[in-house]
Amino acid sequence: MNGADLIAAILQREGVEVLPAFPHSDLIEAAAKIGIRPIIVRQERQALHIADGYTRATGGRRNCVSTVQYGPGSENAAGGVAQCFADNSPVLHIPGG
């Protein structure tokens, strides 16, 4: 078991059902192995928008987690993180690396 498998197991215990993600992150495969559905996006900010929308659609009862690649991917996701923060959306963002 590596770190990605451990994080995926914790997310599953917390009730996470979907994982909006931009490749490359080891967490994507680890989550898919245990039944968390990855949603692959074309731009990093979209992963956070999906996570935000999912959380809002469930009335905040279900938290959503997103992941992107490290480095430039994390920088591209900064706008989405700022939007979630400004709107008080309970979204967890896990940059890869």
Side-chain angles (χ1 to χ4, degrees), residues 57-73:
T58 61
R61 291 183 305 277
R62 293 252 182 217
N63 290 341
C64 195
V65 178
S66 67
T67 185
V68 298
Q69 65 184 350
Y70 60 92

Side-chain angles (χ1 to χ4, degrees), residues 3-55:
D5 293 331
L6 182 61
I7 292 171
I10 292 168
L11 294 176
Q12 185 181 39
R13 285 188 203 133
E14 292 295 325
V16 173
E17 297 175 341
V18 296
L19 179 71
F22 183 85
H24 167 79
S25 174
D26 295 333
L27 186 55
I28 298 169
E29 286 189 33
K33 284 181 200 173
I34 61 172
I36 297 174
R37 181 177 170 225
I39 300 172
I40 305 302
V41 298
R42 297 182 78 180
Q43 206 270 341
E44 291 87 350
R45 187 179 293 188
Q46 291 173 346
L48 280 143
H49 291 317
I50 290 171
D52 182 23
Y54 181 85
T55 300

Side-chain angles (χ1 to χ4, degrees), residues 75-97:
E75 184 178 346
N76 289 339
V81 171
Q83 182 70 42
C84 291
F85 177 77
D87 292 341
N88 292 324
S89 293
V91 172
L92 176 63
H93 178 62
I94 303 175

